[in-house]
Amino acid sequence: MPLSRDELEAIAEHLLTAEAERREVPSLAKTHGELTLDEGYQVQDEIIARKLEAGDRLIGWKLGLTSREKQKAMGVFEPVYGALFASTLLPECEVKTGELIHPRVEPEIAVVMGEDLEGPDVTPARALAAVRWVLPALEVIDSRYQDFKFTLPDVVADNTSTARAVTGARPVPAEGLDLATVGVVFVKNGEIITTAAGAAVLGDPAIALARLANHLSRRGQKLKAGQLVFTGALTAAAFVAPGDVVEARFASLGSVSLRVV
Ligand code: 0L1
Ligand code: MG
């Protein structure tokens, strides 16, 4: 049976309360039954609407579950999409664990759109041509579900675990950059955790951006000039605790670091 409007609103409320109270909840599959992927996005839309009503601002979008490593871990082979808000973006390179449930951090390539980008049928080349700036970035994900255990519709409903995000201070012009071959060294407390290249993101972050634009088009929306996009993690996310410092050192883009307090 499809989700009724009341059920959809109750699930959105349930997840927003978990976020506000920093309390993990069992996956929706356990508490509310199996949702379809489309119902997951309907709950996400409701969460976006409620955050905007409460005074937050939509500043862009993100992709999740982009790397083969993450997809294998989840047993799914498609990315997911979520919204970025003004409240997501950290003004300084510091994240407060007291505001979150069980944060993890992952390195990403972020882009700023120079032009609107509207699907359907956006190609990676067209997507890249609409990008003005590229930035090194770290995303702090914080699933509202116990132990980060969820189904694909569950994680979509939970705005794809979006919590906090930070970018480097120096944007690099997109023109001439090959995002697939941009390398990253992911470092925690001075030790290298892992290394990767942009190609870990669906083969090329430009592919990710095109898929995001086409996804938004199916939902009657588009990417707008000035919006920020986190194109997806290049590696698995690292667990963090107060006292940790994580850093992503990118070739051609510079570095971004985050202190965990
Ligand atoms: O940004 C991401 O890749 C997160 C997507 C949701 C899955 C997770 O929480 O690991
Ligand atoms: Mg991410």
Side-chain angles (χ1 to χ4, degrees):
M1 270 241 295
L3 269 192
S4 69
R5 182 74 211 159
D6 282 355
E7 286 168 323
L8 192 151
E9 288 183 4
I11 294 173
E13 183 67 33
H14 171 70
L15 291 172
L16 284 167
T17 303
E19 181 182 0
E21 295 179 355
R22 288 143 216 154
R23 187 170 46 77
E24 56 181 10
V25 293
S27 76
L28 298 177
K30 287 190 182 153
T31 54
H32 294 73
E34 300 272 346
L35 271 59
T36 64
L37 193 56
D38 187 60
E39 287 169 341
Y41 280 110
Q42 287 176 39
V43 174
Q44 186 190 110
D45 285 346
E46 180 65 20
I47 285 180
I48 294 171
R50 287 180 182 224
K51 285 195 183 239
L52 299 184
E53 265 167 37
D56 214 337
R57 199 161 44 84
L58 183 76
I59 57 160
W61 298 93
K62 63 164 270 192
L63 286 98
L65 299 177
T66 46
S67 72
R68 186 59 81 183
E69 203 173 337
K70 271 203 176 196
Q71 292 189 344
K72 269 201 225 150
M74 273 280 302
V76 296
F77 296 94
E78 54 186 308
V80 288
Y81 310 91
L84 297 177
F85 300 97
S87 62
T88 314
L89 210 55
L90 294 165
E92 290 178 28
C93 294
E94 182 177 286
V95 64
K96 296 183 174 69
T97 51
E99 295 177 354
L100 302 169
I101 303 168
H102 40 202
R104 298 180 184 180
V105 180
E106 53 193 28
E108 305 214 7
I109 294 173
V111 300
V112 179
M113 304 308 297
E115 300 165 16
D116 290 4
L117 183 65
E118 189 166 10
D121 305 326
V122 172
T123 61
R126 199 174 127 214
L128 201 54
V131 171
R132 176 73 180 98
W133 302 107
V134 183
L135 290 149
L138 289 166
E139 185 185 16
V140 181
I141 53 171
D142 191 33
S143 174
R144 270 52 71 170
Y145 302 118
Q146 269 163 8
D147 305 321
F148 273 80
K149 295 242 164 58
F150 39 66
T151 63
L152 198 63
D154 287 354
V155 72
V156 164
D158 188 29
N159 195 25
T160 62
S161 308
T162 303
R164 300 286 186 273
V166 67
T167 69
R170 291 196 185 88
V172 175
E175 211 175 327
L177 273 183
D178 175 6
L179 299 182
T181 56
V182 170
V184 68
V185 180
F186 190 32
V187 177
K188 180 169 142 186
N189 301 332
E191 282 190 19
I192 295 173
I193 310 175
T194 182
T195 59
V201 178
L202 301 177
D204 189 326
I207 295 175
L209 192 61
R211 288 183 72 164
L212 170 65
N214 291 325
H215 159 81
L216 290 175
S217 150
R218 286 189 292 275
R219 305 193 64 74
Q221 298 190 65
K222 64 177 178 180
L223 278 168
K224 296 185 185 147
Q227 283 189 328
L228 180 67
V229 177
F230 273 52
T231 57
L234 281 70
T235 72
F239 291 95
V240 288
D244 287 341
V245 177
V246 282
E247 186 182 9
R249 298 180 191 148
F250 285 89
S252 315
L253 303 181
S255 297
V256 56
S257 71
L258 188 61
R259 207 150 31 88
V260 183
V261 298

